[in-house]
Each structure stands twice: as C-alpha cells, then as structure tokens.
Amino acid sequence: MSTKIPITCVVGTRPNFVKMASIIDALRRQGSFEVQLVHTGQHYSPEMSEAFFEELELPEPDVNLNVGPGTQTEQTAEMMRRLEPILSSQRPEEVLVVGDVNSTLATALVASKMGIPIIHVEAGLRSFDRGMPEEINRIVTDALSDSLFVSEPSGVHNLLAEGIPESRIHFVGNVMIDTLMRFREKASRSRILEQLGLEPRGFAVTTLHRPSNVDDPGSLRGFVEMLGRIAGRVPVVFPVHPRTVGRIQSAGLDTTGLILTPPLGYLDFLHLMSQARLMLTDSGGIQEETTILGVPCLTARENTERPVTIQSGTNRLVGADPGRILSAVWEELDRPFSTDHKTPELWDGKAAVRIAQVLEHHRQPMAVLT
C-alpha cells in the first residue's frame, strides 16, 4: 500500500506553480504515486492562486497552511510550525521540494529533522550572491537533500564542487519548460493583446519583484523613470504586484505611458511573453521561458543562477543601473528581431517524465512539496 504524497504548492511564487504542474501531471501518469497537495499560503492572492490552479490543471489542495505574508524568518518559522504535524501525520518515506522559495527551505528543514529523506527538483543552481535570500534557500536545501534533480549542466558542476556524491545527482532537464510546451498552444488563444491594445512584436514587458529593485525608493524611482523613457518608443506592459503599486503611489512616481496591470494568469502572461519584442526582468524563471520562446531578455541583475540562458544567446545581464539598462534596451530595439536561439540540453518537455521514471525505479513512496 502506498503512502499518500503530501505536496506543498507555494502560493504567489509563479515559477513554482509552473514547475509543480508538470511534476504532478507526470506522477499521475506514472500511476505509482498517490499525491496529496499541501498549500503553504505564501504570498497569497487570488490572482496568483485560484487562477493558477485552474489554468495549470493542478488539483485543489488537500491541506492549506494559510501562512500568509511576513518577513523571511517569520514565514519560514511559521511554515515549519504548521508543516510538522502534517508530515508527522502522513509519515511519508520521502519528501520532494521544488525551487528556492521559503516553503522549499522550511519543508527541507522539517523533513530533515524528522528523518524523512528529501528530493530537490531544480537543485544546484547558484548565483554565488548570498545577499539573495533564494541563494541561502538553495544551498541549505541541497545540503539536506538525498536526491537532487538538476535542470542545467551548471547545477551538476556546482553540486559536485560542494561535495555532493555523483550518485545522488540526476540531470533531467527543466520542468518549467515542460509546462510551457504543454500549455503553449492553449495560451496562444489568449486575448490579452487585444485587451491591452497591443500588436505582436510591438511592445516590451517588464517584471520586477526583487527587494533590491522595488523596496528601495531610490531604486524604484530610477526604474519607473527609465520605463517611462522606454514607453516613449514602444508600449511597456508592467504586471505589478499590489505591494509595489502601493510603493509607487506613496513615492508619487509618474507612470504615464506605462500599461500597469495586476498580476496576470499563466496563460495570458505566457502569450504576452511569446509576442513581446523584449523582456526586462529580474526573475529567474522568465530568463528560462524567454530562452525557449526566442524572445530577447534583459535581466536587471549583476548575476544569474541560470547561466545556460546566457550561453543560449537569448538572455543578457544588464545590472541594476537604469542608464546601463536603457543603453541595452536601445541596442536591442535597434537590431532586427530574430527568434533564432539554441535550446539548452534536455529542455525538451520531458523533464518531469524523467523524474517520475527515476522515482519509479527506486519504487519508494514519497511526499512532494514545493
């Protein structure tokens, strides 16, 4: 008899919804696993919860921890406190975590202390910048994990350099790309361009969420003013979190010319990205998605934990200085648009299937948490 598989899905963290959709689908098709979904409630909002579950065909959560917002420490501690009795009740033989968010770290810590083996999907990514909370989450989770599934070759190199035995590392490809390929045709039926009055390849899209870019009033002012200049040449769509909207308003920043929207559903945003002339982001997941879509991506950071997106030629690091970013934007807009790109190894839509096959080979019941 198989043990139920608790799955923690991180609310409000868009990439982990996307990754988990592929994993759950593959586990269902494999037929050997009984999946239970546990929802932490991290960064809860209807736009980034119910809509994502429906669009990505995720099952309704069996358990909702309702943790809600808080500081990094508050969230992690509260998730650990609420998660422990769930794992104690289910007592799975393994726990699988995805990505690098607070839920990932909290789950890994609880499972480790309870003696439950841990599987980490998207292991080994490193920005080598410990000022990023996600970097700490990655390092600690990987150190605690027993089986590590890697999305790109750099992850294998990083884990080996950190002393992880090769026998525990599995290079399987990128589950986020699995979901993109699975839903791309469905996303193409989105009416988001018509709703926003946009023409294909005639607009730019930006997303900003890292504290270093949006929490500091000076940095946020510089970004908004820079986006206004870009909007003088091409429309700029800015799906913005309500918290960031509040910061823009409290600082009295002028958003004239920008197309501000609430956080978009997965299908609308995928179609928006696929038709954009240019992406400007500080998101790791968008660096990956634009690599497959062949859309130029300028990453407003000094580093990336996903170097394969640069090697493929679609992603460029442009830092956080508005002047430097603006120069890169003008350079990109001045060159002819081309979707030519190199697809990274094993980014073929079958990563989650490979994960399920490895788990099936081990024939062990497990719990899946992201």
Side-chain angles (χ1 to χ4, degrees), residues 265-319:
Y266 178 72
L267 298 178
D268 282 342
F269 191 74
L270 175 55
H271 187 56
L272 194 69
M273 280 196 301
S274 72
Q275 299 301 307
R277 175 62 181 82
L278 173 71
M279 289 291 306
L280 172 61
T281 188
D282 58 12
S283 163
I286 289 175
Q287 296 174 50
E288 295 177 327
E289 291 168 317
T290 52
T291 291
I292 294 301
L293 295 172
V295 174
C297 179
L298 303 180
T299 298
R301 290 167 49 187
E302 299 293 343
N303 52 60
T304 180
E305 63 284 350
R306 295 162 166 88
V308 75
T309 64
I310 295 176
Q311 296 159 7
S312 71
T314 56
N315 182 32
R316 293 170 57 193
L317 292 178
V318 294

Side-chain angles (χ1 to χ4, degrees), residues 92-110:
E93 293 190 15
E94 293 185 273
V95 171
L96 186 153
V97 294
V98 176
D100 55 17
V101 296
N102 290 339
S103 293
T104 304
L105 174 63
T107 302
L109 288 168
V110 172

Side-chain angles (χ1 to χ4, degrees), residues 120-340:
H120 186 201
V121 174
E122 200 182 72
L125 298 181
R126 297 290 183 270
S127 67
F128 302 100
D129 177 5
R130 295 202 178 190
M132 297 174 59
E134 297 91 341
E135 185 77 353
I136 303 301
N137 295 348
R138 297 178 198 121
I139 292 171
V140 175
T141 300
D142 284 340
L144 296 175
S145 294
D146 300 270
S147 298
L148 301 98
F149 289 94
V150 178
S151 61
E152 64 169 86
S154 71
V156 175
H157 173 81
N158 294 334
L159 293 173
L160 291 174
E162 292 171 10
I164 304 296
E166 186 175 3
S167 61
R168 289 158 53 185
I169 302 169
H170 307 275
F171 176 34
V172 294
N174 193 327
V175 292
M176 173 170 278
I177 303 309
D178 291 9
T179 304
L180 184 153
M181 292 181 174
R182 176 182 167 197
F183 288 102
R184 188 172 183 177
E185 193 279 330
K186 186 176 180 181
S188 70
R189 300 194 291 271
S190 165
R191 310 302 295 176
I192 189 66
L193 265 64
E194 290 85 348
Q195 293 169 12
L196 299 179
L198 301 170
E199 295 293 332
R201 307 301 178 209
F203 61 94
V205 180
T206 188
T207 69
L208 299 171
H209 74 280
R210 296 195 179 277
S212 58
N213 288 338
V214 300
D215 287 354
D216 178 80
S219 295
L220 184 59
R221 178 178 296 276
F223 269 103
V224 171
E225 292 176 351
M226 174 198 64
L227 292 174
R229 292 189 61 183
I230 298 171
R233 181 163 172 181
V234 295
V236 176
V237 183
F238 187 5
V240 58
H241 192 279
R243 183 172 63 89
T244 304
V245 171
R247 294 184 181 277
I248 290 173
Q249 292 173 342
S250 64
L253 302 182
D254 182 11
T255 59
T256 302
L258 303 182
I259 303 174
L260 301 183
T261 75
L264 299 174
Y266 178 72
L267 298 178
D268 282 342
F269 191 74
L270 175 55
H271 187 56
L272 194 69
M273 280 196 301
S274 72
Q275 299 301 307
R277 175 62 181 82
L278 173 71
M279 289 291 306
L280 172 61
T281 188
D282 58 12
S283 163
I286 289 175
Q287 296 174 50
E288 295 177 327
E289 291 168 317
T290 52
T291 291
I292 294 301
L293 295 172
V295 174
C297 179
L298 303 180
T299 298
R301 290 167 49 187
E302 299 293 343
N303 52 60
T304 180
E305 63 284 350
R306 295 162 166 88
V308 75
T309 64
I310 295 176
Q311 296 159 7
S312 71
T314 56
N315 182 32
R316 293 170 57 193
L317 292 178
V318 294
D321 176 70
R324 179 180 166 192
I325 296 172
L326 201 58
S327 295
V329 170
W330 299 152
E331 180 182 338
E332 192 59 57
L333 292 178
D334 284 340
R335 68 176 62 170
F337 181 84
S338 172
T339 57
D340 290 342

Side-chain angles (χ1 to χ4, degrees), residues 52-65:
F52 269 53
F53 278 97
E54 180 179 352
E55 291 186 341
L56 296 173
E57 301 175 10
L58 284 162
E60 287 296 314
D62 298 284
V63 178
N64 193 325
L65 302 182

